Amino acid sequence: MSEVRTRFSPSPTGSLHLGGAHTALFNWLIARHFQGAFVLRIEDTDKERSKEEFVTEILDAMGWLGLNWDEGPYRQSERLPIYLEYIDHLLAKGAAYYCDCQPEDLKMRREAALARGEKPKYDGRCRHRNLKPGPRTAVRFKGPETGVTRWHDLIKGHIAFDNQELDDLVILRTDGIPTYNFAVVVDDITMRITQIIRGEDHIPNTPRQIQIYEALGAELPGFAHMPLMLSTDRGKLSKRRGAKSVLDYRERGFLPQSLCNYLARLGWSHGDQEIFTREELIQYFTLEHATTSPGVFDEEKLLWVNSQQMKAMPPAALARELTPFLARIGIEAPEQEYVARAVPTLSARCHTLVEMAEAARFYFQDPRPYEEKGAKKFLTAEAAPILQEVARRLESLPEFSEAAINQLFHDLAAETGLKMVNLAQPVRLALTGRTASPGLFEIINILGSPETLQRIKTAISFAAGNT
Ligand code: GLU
């Protein structure tokens, strides 16, 4: 089998959104699964709407997602001479022609056709006029007037278009810029793309592109059209409903592997498995298990996937990911080993790195002010001697370990007849400022003896005055 080559070809007219990332990911996974090549191409022929800052942002988002490319980024704006060569080729073969119909005339003729109840397609006026190039001429593709253009879509199955439905497409505009349907075919031929995987909104373009392949005598690639993503109310994803930029998710504390995991499962499945490592995705991903029904983008599920991915991550790596989020809340350059010890205690309760940084705060900063309700209930004058006793026993622990701390609390409960909650809650408040936190013994063990004792002493003063 020849090498599998896929591509992602965003237009830099906006940020990389989830829909684009979904397409990029499917192409990347197919390339990686078959050990082929993944090509990145920037479709920037629309000078007005293309912006360099979006190119930068798209590359940044791809890099963050880990969707590395083997070739490119190519830029259509740098490939104009290649397109012109192919235009000349079609003109020479008689498969394209010059057209001097002006926009105003085309508009009038379209309206007249509509008024007669006909389809408003190009009427073929210049098709047989043998015009020469001029300042206001465009080039049109001479499409077949009869017959059917069909393909076997690798996701959607058989698709056919009646050629009568398709008019002669402009392939080179009067300003010398090729149109999308033409440039994309020349690119995909010259870049030797074997599978074109893109959103189903491109289905109407495909018969036109197939006709151009055929006119150029080029071998057809496979086409796969992915169902579009829907919002939870089954409408189109909009800015308000989930069509956010990939980098927003980075900002909000999602891991790139969570987004990839989640997006891979939208429109593809592997049995009942929901959580995948990157390697597993590469190993299992083929279009045979792509689904034809649209995937619904569900943020709740993405949050769940993210929490699972955080849990599955080695602590040192998770600590590295968390560090910039700690910096955001004023915890600068924390010791990585310490962060790595703290993160496993937090991952069961957090859905994002933003949440985790907040939950981790007490490991690094004074836990005060204490949660008001909790302090009123547990940091009372009666609690002060309990805290004192805990401190005394902690101080004289021969070995400071989680097991020893656990034993200490159980012995104290047994000896005093106090319920564990009345013993643990004052200490928890003293150390974390809250009534809910990770396991108390692991916290004490991580904070270490001097810091724990210091915090308990501060809480004793508070409690003594809390009458
Ligand atoms: N540049 C096109 C887009 O952003 C992609 C075209 C294609 O995949 O063929 O929609």
Side-chain angles (χ1 to χ4, degrees), residues 141-412:
F141 178 68
K142 195 185 266 180
E145 288 172 296
T146 55
V148 173
T149 300
R150 58 178 100 241
W151 74 96
H152 182 80
D153 197 274
L154 299 171
I155 294 179
K156 300 250 168 200
H158 184 73
I159 302 183
F161 280 79
D162 208 325
N163 289 340
Q164 272 176 353
E165 301 287 314
L166 310 166
D167 56 3
D168 284 352
L169 182 77
V170 170
I171 52 178
L172 187 69
R173 299 195 317 225
T174 47
D175 61 2
I177 304 289
T179 55
Y180 156 73
N181 275 307
F182 184 73
V184 98
V185 171
V186 172
D187 285 340
D188 288 335
I189 292 173
T190 49
M191 293 171 195
R192 307 190 322 282
I193 302 302
T194 56
Q195 265 105 321
I196 294 179
I197 307 165
R198 58 187 174 197
E200 66 184 4
D201 49 334
H202 282 289
I203 287 178
N205 291 321
T206 305
R208 296 183 177 284
Q209 294 177 11
I210 288 177
Q211 290 179 357
I212 298 172
Y213 274 94
E214 285 169 351
L216 289 169
E219 198 184 322
L220 278 186
F223 287 96
H225 289 93
M226 304 159 58
L228 297 186
M229 244 186 265
L230 300 180
S231 60
T232 29
D233 61 5
R234 303 196 78 78
K236 241 183 117 169
L237 275 195
S238 62
K239 277 244 161 62
R240 222 159 27 89
R241 293 203 202 89
K244 305 222 177 67
S245 106
V246 164
L247 295 180
D248 284 344
Y249 288 90
R250 175 170 73 182
E251 275 300 290
R252 290 176 54 203
F254 287 88
L255 294 168
Q257 60 266 44
S258 307
L259 220 54
C260 287
N261 181 159
Y262 180 74
L263 291 175
R265 275 287 289 107
L266 271 186
W268 173 82
S269 63
H270 180 74
D272 293 336
Q273 190 170 341
E274 292 287 358
I275 302 299
F276 296 84
T277 62
R278 188 169 290 260
E279 292 68 35
E280 285 174 323
L281 286 177
I282 293 172
Q283 188 187 342
Y284 303 146
F285 199 90
T286 62
L287 292 178
E288 268 127 57
H289 292 103
T291 52
T292 50
S293 50
V296 173
F297 181 77
D298 178 356
E299 176 133 336
E300 288 298 312
K301 187 161 170 203
L302 174 59
L303 283 164
W304 175 77
V305 170
N306 199 47
S307 69
Q308 299 300 309
Q309 289 284 357
M310 290 201 294
K311 257 189 237 165
M313 220 173 166
L318 185 53
R320 254 195 318 278
E321 294 286 346
L322 185 65
T323 299
F325 291 87
L326 290 172
R328 278 200 210 167
I329 60 168
I331 301 160
E332 302 279 354
E335 209 210 309
Q336 287 298 295
E337 218 176 294
Y338 181 66
V339 184
R341 289 179 69 207
V343 288
T345 70
L346 303 165
S347 37
R349 324 165 60 90
C350 301
H351 292 92
T352 65
L353 293 166
V354 169
E355 263 180 51
M356 189 177 274
E358 200 44 63
R361 194 189 274 279
F362 74 85
Y363 277 117
F364 305 89
Q365 293 175 342
D366 187 329
R368 288 171 298 170
Y370 303 120
E371 190 185 292
E372 216 182 301
K373 247 173 97 186
K376 230 185 215 143
K377 189 160 170 203
F378 294 111
L379 287 184
T380 55
E382 296 85 75
I386 302 173
L387 286 168
Q388 220 127 29
E389 185 56 18
V390 171
R392 199 185 61 74
R393 291 189 183 209
L394 278 173
E395 233 164 347
S396 49
L397 260 193
E399 178 219 337
F400 206 81
S401 70
E402 206 179 309
I405 296 161
N406 187 336
Q407 192 60 49
L408 179 157
F409 273 82
H410 282 90
D411 289 348
L412 191 57

Side-chain angles (χ1 to χ4, degrees), residues 379 387 390 409 423-432 440 444 456:
L379 287 184
L387 286 168
V390 171
F409 273 82
L423 204 52
Q425 286 305 67
V427 182
R428 192 187 304 282
L429 271 153
L431 301 182
T432 71
L440 187 60
I444 295 176
I456 291 179

